[in-house]
Amino acid sequence: MKSIAIRNISRCSFHQHYLKRCASLRQFSTGQDNVERRVQKNKNHHQRSTQKGRPNRQEKTQQQTNSPVDYIHQNNFHNGRDANENQLSKSQSTLSKCCDIMTGLLKRRQSLPPPPSMDWIFSSPTLPDQLEREKEQWKTRIELYKDIVSLTQAIDLSVNANRLQASSGRDIRDVTDLLGNILLICSETPPKRLSLVDLPSTSQTCIKILSILEQLNLDVQNIHNFLSIRAANQEHDWELSSRLFCKQIDPDVNGLVPVDTNLGGDRFLEIGLYGLAMDLNNRVHDGVDVVEGVLNAVRDMCMVSPTDEEKYMIAAGSALGRAGHWKGCVDYISKTNNASELGQAFFAAMLNACYICEQYDVVLDLYNNMRYNFETGGGDWQWEGEYARCHPLCLDIILRTVGLGLMDKDENQGFSSKGATSLFHQITDDGGRISKQAIRGVLYACKNNADFEKALEVLEKLESYDQGGNCEWIVVDEDTCNFLCENQVPPSSSLTKEKVIDDDVIATVMDTCIAAGEYGLAIMTLRMTRSTAKNSSFNFDNCKDNSMLESLMNWQPQLCQKEALLNSTIMALTGLQCFQDARDLLSSAKDEHCFPTILNKMEAINMNISWNEAYRNMDRLLYAADCLKRSGHTISREEKYNLSLATALMLRCSINAGQVNAGLEVAKTVIATFNCRSATRSSVKEKMKSFFGFSDEDVGADDQFWLLSDELYAAKLSAYRVKYGVESALDVYFSSNDNTHTKTVSPKNSNEGWFNTVNLVLEMLIEKGDLERAFTYFERMHPADRGPGTYISIANAYKDLGRFDKIGKVYMDAKKAGLLSENLCLCAMEAIVRGNHQGKIKLLRSIVNDIADVKGVKPGKWIVDHYWTIKHCLGFHFARLLMWWNDPNETKSMEYRLAVQHMEYRKKQSLRIETDALMCIIKLAEDQKLDVNESSDPFHPPSRVFDSLIILSESQCHDKTNLLLEGLVYLLKTRSTLLGMRYLEYIETNQVTVDDKVSDLARSVANCVEGSSVMN
């Protein structure tokens, strides 16, 4: 007798469970050895049959082409035996023929691909699209089912005629295998409502098989019920499905036998509960009653196996969700007083039901209700010996819901990036499990709030996970079985095989940066993520100065083929005003025609030159860091110092480009490399630690890097100043000392000063307005760390407070140190004028002599060169006295001539002309004598006024309009028609923007008409 060749039919997911239970249930095949022995036995039996007059091989082959019924019943007793032969032999002969037929049917089944696990259950009564695509496969399955129907009819006739019995243990097993395989093929057959064939439905065939089992007094096992329920669900025979499932879980019928607890949409537990839910839906109209009926079934199963309550509850939620009863779940929670007694698994099941029905707003409402309302069970939940705030499945569903809801509606839904990342960190810090869709949900929440810092935190953890870091948390698929408390280690099949960071993740983080206006950070995210250097040796010569696009294409070769990455990169480049780079990138893309609007709007130039310089330094620094990381090279002290200088330069360039966050992110990567490759002995000098007041415990790994050089630490403070503000930058600097205003700010025995750092700190103290603290800081500064700018800053601070007496001491200290500057001298001169001093002009001339000696010029020459600045700071009176203009009657003429000389000299040198000089020419022109011969007089007032008008028209002077009107009025009074025409032609030809009053008055001058209304 041949065995049932079933060993290779485990391709279907639901049949894996079937095979797993074969050993305990004694079902189906017994292995390859038994098959071979039975095949040999049948060959011997065939030889004996041929000798006794049985049909030969050719005849038997011809008989096998007939229907199974004909083959079983044809000449059963026409082989020389009398009618009184043993009935057992008849039964064995019939069973053998049935097994032969089943062997052939199973071979035909093995040639088919696995059937869809759930599609046939949820498909509409019309023919699905896949029927058109897979006609041959459906046709083969229908033909196979036709033979199964014929075989079932033959078996039924044989059982009724007592020709097929199960009297011995071996026969019992073979008959059970035979009938079980019929149920298996029925469950894999397209339902009649889809195939529309003129055959009994698969559920009717299953009922017939179950009745045969009962008729033969054989046990109806779990797998029989599972296959029958599956077939009934596919036929939408909900009453049969519900009846079989309720019978299976009834302890009065089947005893205290636990139900199979494997979770999944194609597993017995969820398929049975789904059939029950659909049957209740047809019989009752209230969704709460449906939920109550399903939960009652869960309670019945828990009575047999209380330890499996969580699985039963989760499966119930999945079944209710697939049945569409999310509203009933919500109503059940609100109407049932004892909902909290069902525990966190109950809420996880209800959330899952709403999630399956895509009711994302309802999911968030239920979650918030669970968290904040203790009466609905929002307390702690014990998981793996510890207490957690929420069931693991709840957390994952919430994060998935946030992402999917934002994609559908593009709105916040009351769930911020802070809340999403908090849940993400809770999962990862606790060593939990998270699905990839939940990770996307976190990133979408960050994108919605433009929270690039949170998005980068998540990206950093994902990079560590992909690189095989020491992460206790794992990424799994979305199957509910991966989030149960008993699964300490999910099966390997549940773990994600590909990297978590894909193009969609990178593009989402880039979009988050773009939404926050951090375009440079978006580009650097693209550059730094998943970067792999081709050269592992530490060689700076390998770092070529490629353009930004060449660099990005080297690190992301698939950039032009990935639409999400391409769109994000184009947006970032456009935000950086790198229009030419954006056009070039689009030209390299295969789908360039998809972006005609963007191409037309872009200028063919790069406006942000400073960003290109910043990116060049960032790229070189990242390349060097990557080479260091891969080479295993231990950085020497000199290399560390050079690395610090390069980082400082990069930070300064990023600040100048307005992309400070991009610079800090690159510096963060460099610090990680530095910490990885630093020598075991500290490279930070003891004088550096004492300089900043650090103890050995205070200097962390990051601080060691920042303290490598004065340039680097000053660049860090400048970056913090731009990003966080002056106060935060000062807090970073002073955080190591409680008594901050008395901090020792300079090493007394240091050959290497910290000039840039301490002067920047002084500047920030003054900017903050904490002047008393700034004065104290200045007093305690080491003289080596003071420069001309130091004295200027502190002098201006004293001037703002009106403490002019202190400025004199600052001036004398700077003079003693040889650090005088023009700005400091002007500040000291202003302090003398505003202060209560005797002999002010004498003191002013003394300061002029000091600065003239420093500059190497005569005092009179210095005064003339800086007359307009001196006049602005000291006033006309003291400026006149310093110029030795003692006769008041000649003062205006002398100043006018000085202004004209200043304008002519500056024009020749292409230097900026002082506005005060132009104002002087216009206002004093009326007091000057007019020479008839204009060409012979370089100080001719109308000509010089005309020159002043031309210069003022292109300037941004705050009193520009009034000065232009005043100058035109003078030209009108002097009847300078030609000059008026030339000025009008100038503003019209060069499209100079001036006030309408100015243009009207210019026309009046050109026409020699009194413009009284304008003049007034």
Side-chain angles (χ1 to χ4, degrees), residues 64-80:
Q64 286 180 343
T65 60
N66 300 329
S67 68
V69 179
D70 296 336
Y71 174 67
I72 293 175
H73 295 283
Q74 185 178 21
N75 297 326
N76 263 346
F77 305 102
H78 186 68
N79 48 22

Side-chain angles (χ1 to χ4, degrees), residues 451-470:
D451 194 345
F452 67 94
E453 292 181 332
K454 296 293 185 183
L456 291 174
E457 288 179 9
V458 175
L459 184 63
E460 183 179 1
K461 280 198 172 184
L462 298 183
E463 284 182 324
S464 177
Y465 182 86
D466 280 348
Q467 294 171 4
N470 187 19

Side-chain angles (χ1 to χ4, degrees), residues 167-431:
S167 56
S168 64
R170 185 170 185 175
D171 290 345
I172 292 175
R173 184 194 62 192
D174 291 341
V175 171
T176 303
D177 289 349
L178 173 65
L179 300 178
N181 281 311
I182 293 176
L183 294 174
L184 173 64
I185 295 178
C186 288
S187 68
E188 295 178 351
T189 301
K192 183 177 180 179
R193 62 187 179 85
L194 294 180
S195 59
L196 305 177
V197 294
D198 188 16
L199 290 172
S201 66
T202 55
S203 60
Q204 291 175 343
T205 304
C206 291
I207 293 174
K208 176 61 69 177
I209 295 298
L210 294 177
S211 66
I212 293 175
L213 285 170
E214 294 179 357
Q215 188 174 351
L216 293 176
N217 201 23
L218 298 177
D219 291 336
V220 178
Q221 302 172 0
N222 290 343
I223 191 63
H224 298 147
N225 278 327
F226 165 68
L227 298 174
S228 301
I229 292 174
R230 178 183 174 86
N233 283 349
Q234 292 174 174
E235 295 286 359
H236 287 188
D237 190 350
W238 310 121
E239 191 277 332
L240 174 62
S241 175
S242 174
R243 177 164 50 84
L244 292 175
F245 180 74
C246 293
K247 182 179 179 181
Q248 180 69 28
I249 66 175
D250 188 355
D252 294 335
V253 177
N254 288 326
L256 300 178
V257 179
V259 177
D260 178 25
T261 58
N262 289 322
L263 296 180
D266 55 353
R267 300 288 181 161
F268 171 75
L269 182 58
E270 292 189 19
I271 283 182
L273 288 171
Y274 174 74
L276 175 61
M278 295 302 294
D279 181 52
L280 291 172
N281 183 63
N282 292 337
R283 290 191 285 113
V284 299
H285 300 286
D286 189 359
V288 175
D289 293 336
V290 175
V291 176
E292 179 67 30
V294 173
L295 293 181
N296 286 336
V298 170
R299 295 185 181 96
D300 292 340
M301 291 185 287
C302 292
M303 292 178 62
V304 178
S305 180
T307 57
D308 293 324
E309 177 183 359
E310 182 188 14
K311 293 181 179 179
Y312 296 148
M313 193 65 70
I314 297 298
S318 300
L320 289 170
R322 291 189 177 94
H325 284 289
W326 65 271
K327 187 66 168 58
C329 294
V330 176
D331 294 340
Y332 183 84
I333 293 176
S334 60
K335 294 180 180 179
T336 305
N337 296 327
N338 62 343
S340 60
E341 298 177 1
L342 298 175
Q344 289 286 350
F346 167 74
F347 283 100
M350 299 299 102
L351 286 181
N352 192 30
C354 298
Y355 174 78
I356 291 174
C357 295
E358 300 181 1
Q359 299 296 320
Y360 304 128
D361 291 337
V362 177
V363 172
L364 294 178
D365 291 340
L366 283 178
Y367 174 73
N368 292 327
N369 187 40
M370 179 192 65
R371 286 186 57 194
Y372 300 114
N373 191 347
F374 179 80
E375 294 181 358
T376 57
D380 289 341
W381 179 70
Q382 191 169 1
W383 178 43
E384 298 183 0
E386 300 179 357
Y387 282 91
R389 288 184 293 274
C390 192
H391 192 281
L393 181 60
C394 288
L395 297 179
D396 200 76
I397 288 177
I398 287 299
L399 294 181
R400 288 184 237 160
T401 300
V402 170
L404 293 173
L406 289 175
M407 284 191 295
D408 289 345
K409 297 184 178 180
D410 194 23
E411 59 186 36
N412 192 6
Q413 298 187 58
F415 212 91
S416 64
S417 58
K418 182 179 180 181
T421 53
S422 176
L423 292 182
F424 173 78
H425 291 308
Q426 177 183 336
I427 294 172
T428 55
D429 294 343
D430 293 342

Side-chain angles (χ1 to χ4, degrees), residues 112-116 119-120 127-142 190:
L112 294 170
D119 291 350
W120 291 344
L127 287 174
D129 294 338
Q130 72 175 25
L131 181 58
E132 297 297 327
R133 299 192 304 266
E134 303 174 1
K135 286 183 177 180
E136 292 300 324
Q137 182 189 146
W138 276 57
K139 182 178 179 181
T140 304
R141 291 190 183 277
I142 296 300

Side-chain angles (χ1 to χ4, degrees), residues 69 73 148-158 200 208:
V69 179
H73 295 283
I148 286 293
V149 172
S150 299
L151 179 59
T152 302
Q153 294 173 354
I155 293 174
D156 185 42
L157 293 175
S158 299
K208 176 61 69 177

Side-chain angles (χ1 to χ4, degrees), residues 861-997:
K861 178 68 167 58
W862 187 88
I863 293 173
V864 171
D865 292 341
H866 297 82
Y867 171 80
W868 305 106
T869 305
I870 293 173
K871 178 183 177 181
H872 181 76
C873 295
L874 307 183
F876 174 71
H877 174 70
F878 286 100
R880 176 178 65 82
L881 293 178
L882 287 175
M883 289 292 295
W884 299 98
W885 295 340
N886 297 324
D887 188 356
N889 296 326
E890 297 181 358
T891 299
K892 291 183 179 181
S893 177
M894 299 295 293
E895 188 175 30
Y896 173 79
R897 289 179 174 271
L898 181 63
V900 172
Q901 291 173 353
H902 171 83
M903 181 178 66
E904 294 299 326
Y905 176 78
R906 290 274 177 159
K907 282 173 62 178
K908 291 180 181 179
Q909 300 295 326
S910 299
L911 299 176
R912 188 183 69 85
I913 301 174
E914 296 287 345
T915 304
D916 288 343
L918 300 175
M919 185 185 304
C920 178
I921 292 173
I922 293 174
K923 290 182 175 296
L924 298 181
E926 190 173 357
D927 298 328
Q928 308 305 313
K929 295 180 180 180
L930 291 176
D931 193 339
V932 177
N933 189 357
E934 176 183 348
S935 60
S936 63
D937 185 8
F939 301 101
H940 186 258
S943 299
R944 302 294 79 80
V945 169
F946 170 77
D947 294 339
S948 300
L949 292 176
I950 297 296
I951 297 171
L952 281 172
S953 297
E954 297 179 348
S955 69
Q956 300 296 328
C957 174
H958 69 280
D959 200 23
K960 170 181 173 179
T961 301
N962 291 333
L963 289 176
L964 290 175
L965 290 173
E966 190 171 349
L968 288 171
V969 168
Y970 173 77
L971 294 180
L972 182 63
K973 290 180 178 180
T974 57
R975 300 283 181 172
S976 302
T977 305
L978 181 60
L979 294 177
M981 294 174 61
R982 288 172 58 189
Y983 179 74
L984 184 62
E985 180 183 2
Y986 170 79
I987 61 176
E988 290 178 351
T989 303
N990 296 279
Q991 297 181 350
V992 179
T993 303
V994 294
D995 191 88
D996 292 340
K997 295 181 180 181

